[in-house]
Amino acid sequence: MQLTERQAAILEIVKRNGPITGEQIAEKLSLTRATLRPDMAILTMAGLIEARPRVGYFYSGRSLSRLAAEKLHQMTVGEVKSVPTVVPEQCSVYDAVVTMFIEDVGTLFVVKENGLLEGVVSRKDFLKITIGGHDIHKLPVGVIMTRMPNVVTATVDETVWSAARKLITHEVDALPVVRPVEGVKGALEVIGRFSKTTATRILVEMGEES
């Protein structure tokens, strides 16, 4: 968020003199209260200043970077997840590669017939097997995938910050968003995906909102 000169001046006044009324702020800037109203609304909605009836405006103590961090800690994966691209374990490596290019994704989630997560396969996995000279038309994708329980996952109620940290820590391009299946121990149903593209889109949207 880029503050205008007037908004920066208002913020500085509130920092030094708060709590302070709108009339007092307008007087210090030699402007009318009506002129300042849009700027005051922006600063208040952004969380940089707060207002209390019969008290006035005061500085919230939060910086722009802290506000952005708070939003990432409040936003959940369920709010931003995208549709997962899945293939069955019996799918050939060739067909899986075709699916990856058609869907324009870097990671495929491998599932059982009932849609339960079985593993994950990435572009790196395909590159390794192709270089090895195997017949990718006959080789099942299940042979090269990372199998459960070694797959890093995310849940809908997990924060975006937590999921993004998993992407970096485990050096993966995407996480399957899952939920437990009732009555089946350890079984996870794939209901979405959280990827580096998702994280980047969120940052861009936050910038545009600002």
Side-chain angles (χ1 to χ4, degrees), residues 43-209:
L43 292 172
T44 303
M45 287 188 292
L48 294 173
I49 63 174
E50 296 182 21
R52 291 288 184 272
R54 296 184 296 277
V55 174
Y57 295 95
F58 60 93
Y59 180 52
S60 67
R62 291 180 288 180
S63 65
L64 290 173
S65 58
R66 182 178 171 186
L67 289 169
E70 287 178 359
K71 186 169 183 178
L72 292 177
H73 279 273
Q74 293 169 357
M75 190 183 301
T76 64
V77 169
E79 297 175 66
V80 299
K81 66 180 175 63
S82 56
V83 178
T85 302
V86 302
V87 293
E89 187 175 359
Q90 298 76 23
C91 174
S92 70
V93 169
Y94 175 82
D95 288 337
V97 170
V98 171
T99 300
M100 178 175 283
F101 276 96
I102 290 175
E103 299 295 334
D104 191 24
V105 295
T107 302
L108 299 175
F109 306 137
V110 185
V111 297
K112 299 178 183 179
E113 290 182 2
N114 52 9
L116 302 183
L117 182 63
E118 185 74 4
V120 169
V121 62
S122 69
R123 283 175 292 197
K124 291 179 182 178
D125 297 318
F126 290 132
L127 181 59
K128 288 177 184 177
I129 203 67
T130 303
I131 292 175
H134 295 81
D135 186 349
I136 63 174
H137 290 83
K138 296 180 180 179
L139 189 68
V141 73
V143 173
I144 68 170
M145 69 181 182
T146 299
R147 288 184 172 273
M148 291 293 290
N150 298 318
V151 177
V152 184
T153 63
T155 59
V156 291
D157 56 355
E158 188 171 349
T159 67
V160 165
W161 177 83
S162 173
R165 187 173 185 180
K166 284 181 180 178
L167 290 175
I168 295 172
T169 301
H170 297 279
E171 298 182 349
V172 294
D173 292 329
L175 304 174
V177 182
V178 299
R179 66 183 170 202
V181 177
E182 251 184 79
V184 185
K185 186 178 180 181
L188 298 173
E189 180 185 4
V190 181
I191 58 174
R193 69 183 283 114
F194 181 87
S195 65
K196 288 181 179 178
T197 300
T198 307
T200 303
R201 175 174 53 80
I202 292 169
L203 292 176
V204 170
E205 290 176 354
M206 287 174 64
E208 289 176 346
E209 287 174 5

Side-chain angles (χ1 to χ4, degrees), residues 22-43:
E23 289 87 350
Q24 291 171 325
I25 296 172
E27 184 179 343
K28 286 181 177 292
L29 293 173
S30 300
L31 296 169
T32 65
R33 189 178 179 188
T35 301
L36 293 183
R37 191 168 291 121
D39 295 308
M40 301 300 293
I42 289 172
L43 292 172

